[in-house]
Amino acid sequence: MADKIIDGFPYIEYHHEELNENEVSQRANSFYESMKTRRSVRHFSSRPIPKSIIESIIKIAASAPSGANKQPWTFVAISNPELKSKIREAAEKEELENYNGRMSKEWLQDLAHLGTDWHKEFLEIAPWLIVVFKKIYDIDVNGNKHNNYYVSESVGLASGFLIAAIHQAGLVTLTHTPSPMNFLTQILNRPENERPFLLLPVGYPAKDALVPKIFRKNLDQISEFKL
Ligand code: IYR
């Protein structure tokens, strides 16, 4: 069917899968059953993952909504061992300072049950690192700058999609936030309009991987219904 033109812009029909209420309910429940088993995993296997799988996962992330559909993100996927070592070294340097003085006592107490520390061996062990960059503005082919909108919200949404995609594929990840993380701009040679947003190791879990026993807030604690 030809595109419909409204106010000079093309529109296409939205293709919606017809489902009855039962089917909708089943889908919502089965997605919840799957997503509730997702955990941040810190113990990775070095088992390789083909590039094609990482490409699929990145495409899922990039299907997220964004302000004015500007898609203000770049996903840098790294399997190169030298680059991974450089990133680990730089991240650990910052984290050592974070854990030894830059983080408040309360912050360290809040993290104690997660067993985190400045060692980030997963940055070398995991077969892939995905660094999510946000584009604070766009630069076109002529070098002109263009605005992006709701950049952190947009990139946060894409990162959520990324994490869900990794889980649905049967892999694990961890949202690692070394701070400050401008070293990623240098090591990965990114342009001036990009800022590092998140660093995610991606892989299979180690055979003996443990995760902290934590609890999710229940529905009453996180929601309010106005009927
Ligand atoms: N960025 C540090 C510290 C850290 C902070 C929070 I908030 C966490 O939920 C987990 C860790 C690190 O990655 O170890």
Side-chain angles (χ1 to χ4, degrees), residues 42 95 99 103 107 111 114 116-117 120 176-178:
R42 292 183 171 77
E95 294 294 4
Y99 282 90
M103 286 152 83
W107 193 350
L111 284 181
L114 299 178
T116 62
D117 63 25
K120 304 297 172 190
H176 177 41
T177 51

Side-chain angles (χ1 to χ4, degrees), residues 8 17 22 34 53 58 60 66 79 98 134 149 179 188 221:
E17 202 178 338
N22 250 334
S34 168
I53 293 178
I58 291 173
I60 295 167
S66 63
S79 65
N98 289 338
K134 64 177 182 185
Y149 309 94
S179 170
L188 300 173
Q221 294 171 292

Side-chain angles (χ1 to χ4, degrees), residues 85-101:
S85 300
K86 274 192 189 169
I87 289 171
R88 175 183 177 180
E89 199 185 320
E92 287 187 334
K93 197 165 159 247
E94 296 297 353
E95 294 294 4
L96 185 67
E97 289 197 46
N98 289 338
Y99 282 90
N100 291 311

Side-chain angles (χ1 to χ4, degrees), residues 11-219:
Y11 285 75
I12 54 171
E13 257 176 39
Y14 176 65
H15 285 290
H16 176 65
E17 202 178 338
E18 285 285 340
L19 297 171
N20 66 35
E21 202 177 280
N22 250 334
E23 291 166 327
V24 173
S25 170
Q26 269 171 21
R27 284 205 185 194
N29 286 334
S30 70
F31 193 52
Y32 169 58
E33 287 302 318
S34 168
M35 289 303 287
K36 77 177 185 190
T37 68
R38 187 208 55 79
R39 292 296 309 269
S40 293
V41 172
R42 292 183 171 77
H43 304 120
F44 284 81
S45 153
S46 59
R47 182 176 160 192
I49 294 171
K51 181 175 172 233
S52 59
I53 293 178
I54 301 301
E55 287 174 336
S56 298
I57 285 167
I58 291 173
K59 285 195 275 187
I60 295 167
S63 72
S66 63
N69 190 35
K70 292 280 192 163
Q71 304 168 57
W73 43 59
T74 303
F75 303 88
V76 179
I78 304 133
S79 65
N80 178 290
E82 287 81 42
L83 278 179
K84 288 199 294 179
S85 300
K86 274 192 189 169
I87 289 171
R88 175 183 177 180
E89 199 185 320
E92 287 187 334
K93 197 165 159 247
E94 296 297 353
E95 294 294 4
L96 185 67
E97 289 197 46
N98 289 338
Y99 282 90
N100 291 311
R102 285 205 294 229
M103 286 152 83
S104 66
K105 214 171 136 204
E106 184 179 358
W107 193 350
L108 292 171
Q109 278 166 1
D110 280 340
L111 284 181
H113 71 295
L114 299 178
T116 62
D117 63 25
W118 65 270
H119 295 95
K120 304 297 172 190
E121 57 279 352
F122 53 74
L123 294 174
E124 279 183 296
I125 297 170
W128 288 93
L129 304 179
I130 300 180
V131 184
V132 184
F133 285 86
K134 64 177 182 185
K135 291 179 159 184
I136 52 170
Y137 53 89
D138 272 333
I139 308 174
D140 67 22
V141 285
N142 302 314
N144 298 315
K145 293 182 182 181
H146 299 277
N147 290 334
N148 286 331
Y149 309 94
Y150 298 100
V151 170
S152 294
E153 290 85 347
S154 302
V155 181
L157 290 163
S159 300
F161 276 39
L162 186 71
I163 292 164
I166 291 165
H167 177 68
Q168 289 302 312
L171 301 171
V172 296
T173 188
L174 162 72
T175 44
H176 177 41
T177 51
S179 170
M181 54 180 164
N182 41 358
F183 64 85
L184 293 165
T185 302
Q186 278 88 55
I187 294 175
L188 300 173
N189 200 17
R190 299 313 303 166
E192 57 159 36
N193 62 326
E194 293 188 4
R195 300 285 180 277
F197 187 76
L198 276 184
L199 170 47
L200 298 116
V202 182
Y204 292 94
K207 277 218 163 53
D208 53 356
L210 293 177
V211 290
K213 186 173 180 182
I214 57 171
F215 298 92
R216 295 205 165 101
K217 290 179 181 175
N218 63 38
L219 196 56

